[in-house]
Amino acid sequence: LITIGFIYTIISNIRIRRLKRNLEKKDKLLEEEKSELIKYQNELIIAKDKADEFSKLQSSFISNMRHEIRTPLNAIVGFSDVLVSTIEATKEQEQYIKIIQYNSSLLLKLINDILDLSIIDEKKRKLFFEKADIIPLLESIIVSMRPTAKENVKIIFTHKEDNITIVTDLVRLQQIVFNLIGNAIKFTQVGNITLNVERKIEEEMIQFSFTDTGCGIPIDKQDEVFERFSKVDEFVQGTGLGLAICNEIIKLIGGRIWIDKSYTTGARFIFTLPTNPRVNSDDE
């Protein structure tokens, strides 16, 4: 029995020493992993500081560009309008002035789209909510856009109620409507472009639908039209940002936008906005 006990003691000591060595190895590995983790944390802090610094520089750059680029472009657009109204130009000169007007306006829109998207990305877009009847606003937009449509295209505004009051950011609503009607004008050669607005009482939403008789959107592209830089036709001028911007603004306000896939005679975009969004005007 003494011999067995002695052997058991030796085996136990061997096991204890083995366990101790294993624990020492694991402790060493844990220390090494802890050192690596501290190293990565320090690198992450440095990277975050650099990212914050870059973000500040980017914000400053975008802020400067909004002024430095828009100011001369607005001057070009404005003075080309003055030229048209104040001089008796030849047909050739009128054509040149119209080319200046068209391209400067196009360039201004492209820059506005890019800057707007940058602001959304930085979550610095402020929404200024106010209570208003949107029918007069939509009517004025329709009137202003009718001259830009093709000769054989009518822009129609339909609504069942004479007054539809909503709490929203009217400037952003105007931007969305301009974008969607402008998009329809771009792809509609003949027929109608119809904006319909109606109240969805149970959902506490206002629904806007934009229906055109244009070329429509291929089925394989319908799920990606709200993605940035997505274009139905690569040969049509534009950044491919208009619908993405609409989507982002609508989500910020508390609504959603989609394509009516059942409509096949052109394209139909539908979006909703809450009648009384649960967002403060100071929210970003």
Side-chain angles (χ1 to χ4, degrees):
L1 289 173
I2 294 172
T3 303
I4 293 172
F6 180 72
I7 293 171
Y8 179 78
T9 302
I10 292 172
I11 293 171
S12 296
N13 287 334
I14 291 171
R15 286 179 176 174
I16 290 170
R17 284 197 295 270
R18 188 180 297 166
L19 287 171
K20 185 177 179 181
R21 284 196 301 270
N22 288 338
L23 284 172
E24 288 173 350
K25 287 180 181 179
K26 288 181 179 179
D27 285 341
K28 185 178 180 181
L29 286 173
L30 284 172
E31 283 297 325
E32 290 175 354
E33 289 178 357
K34 183 180 178 181
S35 297
E36 286 293 316
L37 182 60
I38 292 172
K39 178 184 174 183
Y40 289 142
Q41 285 178 332
N42 290 334
E43 290 177 352
L44 184 61
I45 291 170
I46 293 170
K48 184 179 180 299
D49 289 341
K50 288 183 177 179
D52 289 341
E53 184 181 354
F54 175 78
S55 179
K56 288 178 182 178
L57 290 172
Q58 184 184 34
S59 298
S60 177
F61 173 77
I62 291 171
S63 179
N64 289 335
M65 287 303 97
R66 288 176 69 85
H67 174 73
E68 297 298 331
I69 295 177
R70 279 175 168 165
T71 299
L73 278 176
N74 281 323
I76 293 171
V77 174
F79 281 109
S80 60
D81 289 337
V82 172
L83 282 174
V84 172
S85 61
T86 58
I87 68 170
E88 294 184 7
T90 64
K91 288 185 178 180
E92 188 176 19
Q93 288 172 330
E94 285 181 359
Q95 185 178 0
Y96 294 156
I97 294 171
K98 286 180 180 178
I99 290 172
I100 293 172
Q101 286 179 309
Y102 173 77
N103 284 282
S104 55
S105 296
L106 178 63
L107 184 57
L108 186 59
K109 185 182 186 307
L110 297 181
I111 290 170
N112 284 338
D113 283 351
I114 293 170
L115 294 177
D116 277 341
L117 205 57
S118 298
I119 293 171
I120 290 172
D121 283 342
E122 293 177 11
K123 297 181 180 179
K124 289 187 176 180
R125 175 179 295 283
K126 287 190 176 181
L127 299 174
F128 298 96
F129 289 96
E130 56 184 300
K131 186 176 182 180
D133 176 12
I134 59 173
I135 297 299
L137 173 68
L138 298 175
E139 285 176 341
S140 66
I141 294 173
I142 294 297
V143 170
S144 68
M145 296 200 77
R146 277 179 179 144
T148 65
K150 283 38 167 216
E151 187 176 350
N152 296 321
V153 176
K154 291 182 179 180
I155 303 181
I156 303 167
F157 178 35
T158 60
H159 50 96
K160 293 180 180 178
E161 302 176 58
D162 293 333
N163 180 292
I164 297 181
T165 300
I166 182 175
V167 175
T168 194
D169 186 318
L170 295 179
V171 173
R172 298 306 156 205
L173 173 59
Q174 181 173 290
Q175 183 179 5
I176 296 165
V177 175
F178 267 116
N179 265 333
L180 290 172
I181 294 181
N183 206 53
I185 289 172
K186 196 183 299 182
F187 295 102
T188 305
Q189 303 299 321
V190 63
N192 300 320
I193 297 170
T194 304
L195 164 59
N196 179 70
V197 60
E198 58 183 293
R199 196 190 308 269
K200 297 292 182 180
I201 298 175
E202 292 184 2
E203 295 91 340
E204 295 184 350
M205 292 280 183
I206 304 297
Q207 179 173 294
F208 305 76
S209 66
F210 299 76
T211 306
D212 65 55
T213 54
C215 60
I217 300 171
I219 295 175
D220 61 333
K221 290 194 174 184
Q222 289 187 0
D223 291 332
E224 60 185 52
V225 293
F226 298 110
E227 296 177 6
R228 299 176 184 191
F229 308 109
S230 174
K231 297 180 70 173
V232 175
D233 188 344
E234 293 296 330
F235 297 100
V236 175
Q237 286 182 308
T239 57
L241 290 173
L243 291 175
I245 290 171
C246 288
N247 185 34
E248 294 292 340
I249 294 173
I250 289 167
K251 285 195 297 184
L252 280 174
I253 296 176
R256 70 185 187 96
I257 184 170
W258 68 95
I259 296 176
D260 182 357
K261 295 183 179 181
S262 66
Y263 179 74
T264 57
T265 316
R268 176 180 290 144
F269 288 88
I270 302 172
F271 76 86
T272 56
L273 292 180
T275 54
N276 193 12
R278 298 170 184 174
V279 183
N280 294 324
S281 60
D282 292 329
D283 285 356
E284 297 185 0

PDB file of all heavy atoms in Angstrom, residues 216-237:
ATOM      1  N   GLY A 216     -40.769  53.562 -69.297  1.00  0.00           N
ATOM      2  CA  GLY A 216     -40.844  52.620 -68.188  1.00  0.00           C
ATOM      3  C   GLY A 216     -39.474  52.206 -67.680  1.00  0.00           C
ATOM      4  O   GLY A 216     -38.441  52.664 -68.177  1.00  0.00           O
ATOM      5  N   ILE A 217     -39.473  51.336 -66.696  1.00  0.00           N
ATOM      6  CA  ILE A 217     -38.222  50.858 -66.087  1.00  0.00           C
ATOM      7  C   ILE A 217     -38.157  49.346 -66.236  1.00  0.00           C
ATOM      8  O   ILE A 217     -39.089  48.639 -65.827  1.00  0.00           O
ATOM      9  CB  ILE A 217     -38.162  51.234 -64.591  1.00  0.00           C
ATOM     10  CG1 ILE A 217     -38.244  52.757 -64.448  1.00  0.00           C
ATOM     11  CG2 ILE A 217     -36.888  50.709 -63.940  1.00  0.00           C
ATOM     12  CD1 ILE A 217     -38.415  53.224 -63.023  1.00  0.00           C
ATOM     13  N   PRO A 218     -37.088  48.825 -66.824  1.00  0.00           N
ATOM     14  CA  PRO A 218     -36.959  47.367 -66.970  1.00  0.00           C
ATOM     15  C   PRO A 218     -37.105  46.658 -65.632  1.00  0.00           C
ATOM     16  O   PRO A 218     -36.659  47.169 -64.597  1.00  0.00           O
ATOM     17  CB  PRO A 218     -35.538  47.198 -67.532  1.00  0.00           C
ATOM     18  CG  PRO A 218     -35.229  48.507 -68.182  1.00  0.00           C
ATOM     19  CD  PRO A 218     -35.929  49.548 -67.374  1.00  0.00           C
ATOM     20  N   ILE A 219     -37.728  45.485 -65.648  1.00  0.00           N
ATOM     21  CA  ILE A 219     -37.975  44.732 -64.412  1.00  0.00           C
ATOM     22  C   ILE A 219     -36.688  44.471 -63.645  1.00  0.00           C
ATOM     23  O   ILE A 219     -36.648  44.562 -62.418  1.00  0.00           O
ATOM     24  CB  ILE A 219     -38.692  43.400 -64.735  1.00  0.00           C
ATOM     25  CG1 ILE A 219     -40.088  43.691 -65.310  1.00  0.00           C
ATOM     26  CG2 ILE A 219     -38.810  42.535 -63.488  1.00  0.00           C
ATOM     27  CD1 ILE A 219     -40.835  42.466 -65.774  1.00  0.00           C
ATOM     28  N   ASP A 220     -35.612  44.177 -64.391  1.00  0.00           N
ATOM     29  CA  ASP A 220     -34.359  43.834 -63.712  1.00  0.00           C
ATOM     30  C   ASP A 220     -33.672  45.032 -63.064  1.00  0.00           C
ATOM     31  O   ASP A 220     -32.714  44.874 -62.312  1.00  0.00           O
ATOM     32  CB  ASP A 220     -33.394  43.153 -64.693  1.00  0.00           C
ATOM     33  CG  ASP A 220     -33.032  44.056 -65.871  1.00  0.00           C
ATOM     34  OD1 ASP A 220     -33.852  44.932 -66.214  1.00  0.00           O
ATOM     35  OD2 ASP A 220     -31.935  43.901 -66.429  1.00  0.00           O
ATOM     36  N   LYS A 221     -34.175  46.248 -63.329  1.00  0.00           N
ATOM     37  CA  LYS A 221     -33.587  47.443 -62.730  1.00  0.00           C
ATOM     38  C   LYS A 221     -34.487  48.103 -61.689  1.00  0.00           C
ATOM     39  O   LYS A 221     -34.084  49.063 -61.042  1.00  0.00           O
ATOM     40  CB  LYS A 221     -33.233  48.459 -63.819  1.00  0.00           C
ATOM     41  CG  LYS A 221     -32.057  48.032 -64.688  1.00  0.00           C
ATOM     42  CD  LYS A 221     -31.539  49.184 -65.511  1.00  0.00           C
ATOM     43  CE  LYS A 221     -30.281  48.795 -66.272  1.00  0.00           C
ATOM     44  NZ  LYS A 221     -29.701  49.928 -67.011  1.00  0.00           N
ATOM     45  N   GLN A 222     -35.702  47.596 -61.545  1.00  0.00           N
ATOM     46  CA  GLN A 222     -36.661  48.250 -60.649  1.00  0.00           C
ATOM     47  C   GLN A 222     -36.244  48.204 -59.184  1.00  0.00           C
ATOM     48  O   GLN A 222     -36.574  49.087 -58.414  1.00  0.00           O
ATOM     49  CB  GLN A 222     -38.048  47.617 -60.824  1.00  0.00           C
ATOM     50  CG  GLN A 222     -38.688  47.968 -62.157  1.00  0.00           C
ATOM     51  CD  GLN A 222     -40.122  47.487 -62.270  1.00  0.00           C
ATOM     52  OE1 GLN A 222     -40.656  46.878 -61.358  1.00  0.00           O
ATOM     53  NE2 GLN A 222     -40.748  47.759 -63.400  1.00  0.00           N
ATOM     54  N   ASP A 223     -35.519  47.156 -58.789  1.00  0.00           N
ATOM     55  CA  ASP A 223     -35.120  47.031 -57.390  1.00  0.00           C
ATOM     56  C   ASP A 223     -33.884  47.856 -57.044  1.00  0.00           C
ATOM     57  O   ASP A 223     -33.513  47.973 -55.882  1.00  0.00           O
ATOM     58  CB  ASP A 223     -34.844  45.553 -57.052  1.00  0.00           C
ATOM     59  CG  ASP A 223     -36.115  44.718 -57.053  1.00  0.00           C
ATOM     60  OD1 ASP A 223     -37.187  45.288 -56.773  1.00  0.00           O
ATOM     61  OD2 ASP A 223     -36.041  43.511 -57.352  1.00  0.00           O
ATOM     62  N   GLU A 224     -33.235  48.431 -58.055  1.00  0.00           N
ATOM     63  CA  GLU A 224     -31.997  49.163 -57.776  1.00  0.00           C
ATOM     64  C   GLU A 224     -32.063  50.642 -58.123  1.00  0.00           C
ATOM     65  O   GLU A 224     -31.075  51.350 -57.997  1.00  0.00           O
ATOM     66  CB  GLU A 224     -30.834  48.520 -58.546  1.00  0.00           C
ATOM     67  CG  GLU A 224     -31.019  48.514 -60.046  1.00  0.00           C
ATOM     68  CD  GLU A 224     -29.921  47.760 -60.780  1.00  0.00           C
ATOM     69  OE1 GLU A 224     -29.657  46.600 -60.423  1.00  0.00           O
ATOM     70  OE2 GLU A 224     -29.329  48.343 -61.709  1.00  0.00           O
ATOM     71  N   VAL A 225     -33.238  51.128 -58.547  1.00  0.00           N
ATOM     72  CA  VAL A 225     -33.326  52.525 -59.001  1.00  0.00           C
ATOM     73  C   VAL A 225     -33.098  53.537 -57.879  1.00  0.00           C
ATOM     74  O   VAL A 225     -32.751  54.689 -58.145  1.00  0.00           O
ATOM     75  CB  VAL A 225     -34.690  52.834 -59.679  1.00  0.00           C
ATOM     76  CG1 VAL A 225     -34.831  52.086 -60.972  1.00  0.00           C
ATOM     77  CG2 VAL A 225     -35.844  52.525 -58.731  1.00  0.00           C
ATOM     78  N   PHE A 226     -33.295  53.102 -56.614  1.00  0.00           N
ATOM     79  CA  PHE A 226     -33.084  54.019 -55.496  1.00  0.00           C
ATOM     80  C   PHE A 226     -31.658  53.961 -54.959  1.00  0.00           C
ATOM     81  O   PHE A 226     -31.337  54.621 -53.974  1.00  0.00           O
ATOM     82  CB  PHE A 226     -34.084  53.734 -54.374  1.00  0.00           C
ATOM     83  CG  PHE A 226     -35.526  53.924 -54.790  1.00  0.00           C
ATOM     84  CD1 PHE A 226     -36.368  52.831 -54.919  1.00  0.00           C
ATOM     85  CD2 PHE A 226     -36.012  55.183 -55.088  1.00  0.00           C
ATOM     86  CE1 PHE A 226     -37.682  52.998 -55.315  1.00  0.00           C
ATOM     87  CE2 PHE A 226     -37.326  55.357 -55.486  1.00  0.00           C
ATOM     88  CZ  PHE A 226     -38.162  54.259 -55.608  1.00  0.00           C
ATOM     89  N   GLU A 227     -30.816  53.147 -55.598  1.00  0.00           N
ATOM     90  CA  GLU A 227     -29.416  53.092 -55.203  1.00  0.00           C
ATOM     91  C   GLU A 227     -28.651  54.245 -55.837  1.00  0.00           C
ATOM     92  O   GLU A 227     -29.021  54.737 -56.908  1.00  0.00           O
ATOM     93  CB  GLU A 227     -28.790  51.759 -55.637  1.00  0.00           C
ATOM     94  CG  GLU A 227     -29.409  50.550 -54.950  1.00  0.00           C
ATOM     95  CD  GLU A 227     -28.818  49.249 -55.450  1.00  0.00           C
ATOM     96  OE1 GLU A 227     -27.850  49.298 -56.245  1.00  0.00           O
ATOM     97  OE2 GLU A 227     -29.329  48.182 -55.054  1.00  0.00           O
ATOM     98  N   ARG A 228     -27.589  54.648 -55.206  1.00  0.00           N
ATOM     99  CA  ARG A 228     -26.807  55.776 -55.701  1.00  0.00           C
ATOM    100  C   ARG A 228     -26.129  55.441 -57.021  1.00  0.00           C
ATOM    101  O   ARG A 228     -25.606  54.350 -57.198  1.00  0.00           O
ATOM    102  CB  ARG A 228     -25.762  56.177 -54.662  1.00  0.00           C
ATOM    103  CG  ARG A 228     -26.407  56.610 -53.355  1.00  0.00           C
ATOM    104  CD  ARG A 228     -25.390  56.922 -52.306  1.00  0.00           C
ATOM    105  NE  ARG A 228     -26.057  57.247 -51.038  1.00  0.00           N
ATOM    106  CZ  ARG A 228     -25.445  57.754 -49.985  1.00  0.00           C
ATOM    107  NH1 ARG A 228     -24.160  57.988 -50.022  1.00  0.00           N
ATOM    108  NH2 ARG A 228     -26.124  58.014 -48.886  1.00  0.00           N
ATOM    109  N   PHE A 229     -26.164  56.411 -57.927  1.00  0.00           N
ATOM    110  CA  PHE A 229     -25.531  56.331 -59.233  1.00  0.00           C
ATOM    111  C   PHE A 229     -26.193  55.298 -60.150  1.00  0.00           C
ATOM    112  O   PHE A 229     -25.639  54.950 -61.184  1.00  0.00           O
ATOM    113  CB  PHE A 229     -24.028  56.018 -59.105  1.00  0.00           C
ATOM    114  CG  PHE A 229     -23.308  56.946 -58.170  1.00  0.00           C
ATOM    115  CD1 PHE A 229     -22.855  56.508 -56.945  1.00  0.00           C
ATOM    116  CD2 PHE A 229     -23.111  58.284 -58.509  1.00  0.00           C
ATOM    117  CE1 PHE A 229     -22.212  57.356 -56.058  1.00  0.00           C
ATOM    118  CE2 PHE A 229     -22.471  59.148 -57.639  1.00  0.00           C
ATOM    119  CZ  PHE A 229     -22.022  58.679 -56.418  1.00  0.00           C
ATOM    120  N   SER A 230     -27.386  54.831 -59.767  1.00  0.00           N
ATOM    121  CA  SER A 230     -28.116  53.908 -60.633  1.00  0.00           C
ATOM    122  C   SER A 230     -28.837  54.695 -61.718  1.00  0.00           C
ATOM    123  O   SER A 230     -29.542  55.665 -61.440  1.00  0.00           O
ATOM    124  CB  SER A 230     -29.128  53.102 -59.803  1.00  0.00           C
ATOM    125  OG  SER A 230     -29.934  52.304 -60.640  1.00  0.00           O
ATOM    126  N   LYS A 231     -28.664  54.274 -62.989  1.00  0.00           N
ATOM    127  CA  LYS A 231     -29.295  54.964 -64.107  1.00  0.00           C
ATOM    128  C   LYS A 231     -30.001  53.946 -64.992  1.00  0.00           C
ATOM    129  O   LYS A 231     -29.434  52.908 -65.344  1.00  0.00           O
ATOM    130  CB  LYS A 231     -28.245  55.729 -64.925  1.00  0.00           C
ATOM    131  CG  LYS A 231     -27.547  56.832 -64.144  1.00  0.00           C
ATOM    132  CD  LYS A 231     -26.516  57.555 -64.979  1.00  0.00           C
ATOM    133  CE  LYS A 231     -27.153  58.394 -66.065  1.00  0.00           C
ATOM    134  NZ  LYS A 231     -26.154  59.215 -66.773  1.00  0.00           N
ATOM    135  N   VAL A 232     -31.259  54.262 -65.358  1.00  0.00           N
ATOM    136  CA  VAL A 232     -32.016  53.389 -66.247  1.00  0.00           C
ATOM    137  C   VAL A 232     -31.408  53.411 -67.642  1.00  0.00           C
ATOM    138  O   VAL A 232     -31.288  52.402 -68.309  1.00  0.00           O
ATOM    139  CB  VAL A 232     -33.501  53.823 -66.300  1.00  0.00           C
ATOM    140  CG1 VAL A 232     -34.270  52.995 -67.323  1.00  0.00           C
ATOM    141  CG2 VAL A 232     -34.134  53.680 -64.925  1.00  0.00           C
ATOM    142  N   ASP A 233     -31.003  54.606 -68.073  1.00  0.00           N
ATOM    143  CA  ASP A 233     -30.404  54.779 -69.395  1.00  0.00           C
ATOM    144  C   ASP A 233     -29.077  55.512 -69.236  1.00  0.00           C
ATOM    145  O   ASP A 233     -29.040  56.675 -68.843  1.00  0.00           O
ATOM    146  CB  ASP A 233     -31.354  55.574 -70.308  1.00  0.00           C
ATOM    147  CG  ASP A 233     -30.882  55.632 -71.752  1.00  0.00           C
ATOM    148  OD1 ASP A 233     -29.691  55.341 -71.997  1.00  0.00           O
ATOM    149  OD2 ASP A 233     -31.692  55.970 -72.626  1.00  0.00           O
ATOM    150  N   GLU A 234     -27.980  54.839 -69.540  1.00  0.00           N
ATOM    151  CA  GLU A 234     -26.647  55.424 -69.367  1.00  0.00           C
ATOM    152  C   GLU A 234     -26.399  56.598 -70.313  1.00  0.00           C
ATOM    153  O   GLU A 234     -25.493  57.398 -70.105  1.00  0.00           O
ATOM    154  CB  GLU A 234     -25.570  54.352 -69.597  1.00  0.00           C
ATOM    155  CG  GLU A 234     -25.547  53.263 -68.540  1.00  0.00           C
ATOM    156  CD  GLU A 234     -25.182  53.811 -67.169  1.00  0.00           C
ATOM    157  OE1 GLU A 234     -24.427  54.803 -67.094  1.00  0.00           O
ATOM    158  OE2 GLU A 234     -25.668  53.246 -66.170  1.00  0.00           O
ATOM    159  N   PHE A 235     -27.224  56.699 -71.376  1.00  0.00           N
ATOM    160  CA  PHE A 235     -27.009  57.750 -72.365  1.00  0.00           C
ATOM    161  C   PHE A 235     -27.784  59.025 -72.034  1.00  0.00           C
ATOM    162  O   PHE A 235     -27.665  60.029 -72.720  1.00  0.00           O
ATOM    163  CB  PHE A 235     -27.407  57.250 -73.765  1.00  0.00           C
ATOM    164  CG  PHE A 235     -26.569  56.096 -74.232  1.00  0.00           C
ATOM    165  CD1 PHE A 235     -27.040  54.798 -74.148  1.00  0.00           C
ATOM    166  CD2 PHE A 235     -25.289  56.303 -74.732  1.00  0.00           C
ATOM    167  CE1 PHE A 235     -26.264  53.730 -74.565  1.00  0.00           C
ATOM    168  CE2 PHE A 235     -24.509  55.245 -75.152  1.00  0.00           C
ATOM    169  CZ  PHE A 235     -24.993  53.946 -75.076  1.00  0.00           C
ATOM    170  N   VAL A 236     -28.611  58.986 -70.971  1.00  0.00           N
ATOM    171  CA  VAL A 236     -29.349  60.163 -70.524  1.00  0.00           C
ATOM    172  C   VAL A 236     -28.520  60.872 -69.467  1.00  0.00           C
ATOM    173  O   VAL A 236     -28.008  60.237 -68.535  1.00  0.00           O
ATOM    174  CB  VAL A 236     -30.733  59.779 -69.957  1.00  0.00           C
ATOM    175  CG1 VAL A 236     -31.432  61.007 -69.391  1.00  0.00           C
ATOM    176  CG2 VAL A 236     -31.580  59.133 -71.034  1.00  0.00           C
ATOM    177  N   GLN A 237     -28.388  62.206 -69.609  1.00  0.00           N
ATOM    178  CA  GLN A 237     -27.552  62.957 -68.681  1.00  0.00           C
ATOM    179  C   GLN A 237     -28.126  62.948 -67.274  1.00  0.00           C
ATOM    180  O   GLN A 237     -29.324  62.967 -67.063  1.00  0.00           O
ATOM    181  CB  GLN A 237     -27.397  64.399 -69.167  1.00  0.00           C
ATOM    182  CG  GLN A 237     -26.465  64.540 -70.376  1.00  0.00           C
ATOM    183  CD  GLN A 237     -26.305  65.980 -70.782  1.00  0.00           C
ATOM    184  OE1 GLN A 237     -27.274  66.688 -70.979  1.00  0.00           O
ATOM    185  NE2 GLN A 237     -25.072  66.426 -70.926  1.00  0.00           N
TER     186      GLN A 237
END
